[in-house]
Amino acid sequence: MNLLRDPRTLAITMSASAFLLAGISVYQTSTTKTQTIAVADMQSIMDAQKLAWLQRMRLGEKSQVIASSREFQDKLEGVLNDITVKSNTVIFDKNALIAGSDVTDMTPIIMERLGLSISETQKLRQTLENELFSDFPTMRKDRP
């Protein structure tokens, strides 16, 4: 008991405690992932998926498309959850972002994980527009 009353012992104990708390704080700070903010064009992703389904419907895969459409919400939520948890990222809809710097666009990554191709989606969209507007040449985007 006399040992605790000794000022040197008390000073050493307090110093060791402070050093230990500082070490824990540094460790926590260095191992904690910083949270990042990203955006995704959810409308573009949904449109791409709808175009892919439309293409498959035209190929006669109606029952597969219906099954795929029922599973899509869960698949999308799984992809988003995987991205946000692994990278400690918050994803906002691209249309909701007013301003920001160094904001990553996750749209291509999400589309890839859903099995959607940006280039194939653009081709499908162009084909559909050409078919729809073939009777109305003045409405076509690619007109001269």
Side-chain angles (χ1 to χ4, degrees), residues 19-105:
F19 184 71
L20 180 64
L21 289 174
I24 291 171
S25 177
V26 167
Y27 175 76
Q28 284 287 84
T29 304
S30 66
T31 59
T32 303
K33 288 183 185 177
T34 57
Q35 191 170 49
T36 57
I37 295 177
V39 295
D41 188 347
M42 296 308 293
Q43 186 62 50
S44 184
I45 293 168
M46 299 300 288
D47 289 347
Q49 182 61 66
K50 290 174 188 175
L51 285 170
W53 287 332
L54 179 63
Q55 179 70 12
R56 289 178 57 199
M57 291 283 277
R58 287 180 169 180
L59 297 173
E61 300 177 12
K62 182 179 178 181
S63 59
Q64 295 94 332
V65 169
I66 291 171
S68 176
S69 67
R70 288 183 181 142
E71 299 167 355
F72 180 72
Q73 184 66 32
D74 290 336
K75 186 176 178 181
L76 178 61
E77 287 176 7
V79 166
L80 293 174
N81 188 48
D82 186 50
I83 291 171
T84 57
V85 169
K86 285 184 179 176
S87 61
N88 198 25
T89 301
V90 175
I91 301 176
F92 289 100
D93 191 308
K94 192 172 189 175
N95 296 321
L97 184 69
I98 303 299
S101 62
D102 295 329
V103 178
T104 305
D105 186 359

